[in-house]
Amino acid sequence: MFGFLFKYGIKRAILNKEALFWALIFPFFLATIYGMILTKLDKQEDFVAIPIMVEDRAYEGILGQIEMEGKKVFDIKDYKNPDKALESGKIEAYIRGDIIKPKLLIKNDTVNTAIVHGVVSQIHHMGLSVTELMKEPANRSRIDSILKDLKNTRKYEIKNSENLKKKSTVSVYIYSLLAMICLGASTFGVAIVEGLNLKSDFDTSKRISVSPIPRIKYLIGEFAAYFLITSINTLVLYAYIRYALKMDFSGSQAQIICGLLAGNIMAMAMGMFIALATRMSTNAKFSICAGLYVFSSFLAGMMNASLAGFISNKLPFLNYINPATVLTRMFTSLYLFEDSRLYMYSIMNICLISLVLFVGGVLFARRNSYDSI
């Protein structure tokens, strides 16, 4: 039975022209346009120190000692008005507070600000660890060995300057584009739900509703079929961006593919949730879904990197619930850092969002079934 439903789902996915347009054709043309523009804008330049300001003097001393191949990573500036200096572009980041409670302010979400964020995060967590350990009197006499252990176990390496010189300065746009490609699978989520909706525009929905096949089996078969189609689609587009457009990526192929597949599942869950939560025509649901995933990519910095910086400063919680931002951060962590912890945190974030969307979809499905009684 599953094999039959799986084959049937694949046929429906291939024949669903509207879903295929938003999941395949639209991202393909967008990737081509972005690739042509960004490859011209991207210039290979030597890595230069990142201009920043630090409020706490002790923190300033720590950051001032960080080097790569004998070169300072951060250029510590001193302006009377840090906010004005940040707005004018004289500095790329301003760190308020101390090691225990730092607050990072940025204007644009770029490779440099991602480096600052990673270093500040690592110093912050190490400071909290030392504070907790020093609460025990027995640990105070072992401070040297504790700091050495923390240094070895909490290593947060920035890729060396030779690698950084080869990195694209417009990578945030490419990763936002990858996130958008993943989120295109949300239209398939709408198609799965509308296939069971008697009021949908699909001719097959009425035949399926009167068939003796349990709906849960139908959903499993359809989800597996659409997931296979969107996974192939995503991997083809990824290969096109990487090899045909010659865009730079980091991390192992397994990590990137795993991230793309996890993003597809989250996107399909989002599409199913939208289809179940709204009472509109099928075409309207497709339009809402497409608009939402484009808007999500916009918030992640695809069209304007300064917006991502504004959100990080003013509305940081959006970075953990906006699907495109979570996906972009996941790929950026592979691009900048040897440590895979940020990547794993992002994967867990994606799983949590997917779970919430699936549970929300189930609740709306139960509501709709009660309304039809």
Side-chain angles (χ1 to χ4, degrees), residues 66 68 73 115 119 156-160 164 336-338:
I66 299 177
M68 290 191 305
V73 174
I115 292 174
V119 173
Y156 212 166
E157 294 183 359
I158 302 173
K159 293 182 184 290
N160 60 47
L164 281 172
L336 292 175
F337 303 108
E338 299 289 356

Side-chain angles (χ1 to χ4, degrees), residues 294-307:
V294 171
F295 181 66
S296 176
S297 300
F298 172 71
L299 293 179
M302 183 176 181
M303 293 79 172
N304 187 352
S306 62
L307 178 62

Side-chain angles (χ1 to χ4, degrees), residues 50-57 59-60 62-64 66 74 76-77 82-83 86 91-106 113 115-121 123-124 313:
I50 304 169
I52 63 172
M53 279 191 66
V54 186
E55 185 177 50
D56 184 66
R57 293 301 176 187
Y59 213 171
E60 178 182 329
I62 295 173
L63 294 174
I66 299 177
F74 301 110
I76 311 296
K77 300 291 187 180
D83 294 327
L86 183 65
I91 58 174
E92 295 199 37
Y94 176 44
I95 305 170
R96 288 178 176 169
D98 53 20
I99 295 176
I100 305 302
K101 291 184 178 180
K103 183 178 181 181
L104 178 63
L105 300 179
I106 62 174
T113 55
I115 292 174
V116 178
H117 177 270
V119 173
V120 169
S121 177
I123 295 174
H124 171 60
N313 291 332

Side-chain angles (χ1 to χ4, degrees), residues 17 27 33 40 107 118 151-152 174 238 273 313 321 323 351:
K17 296 180 180 179
I33 293 171
K40 292 180 181 179
K107 181 182 178 182
K151 182 179 179 181
N152 293 333
I174 299 301
Y238 162 66
F273 177 82
N313 291 332
I321 62 175
C351 293

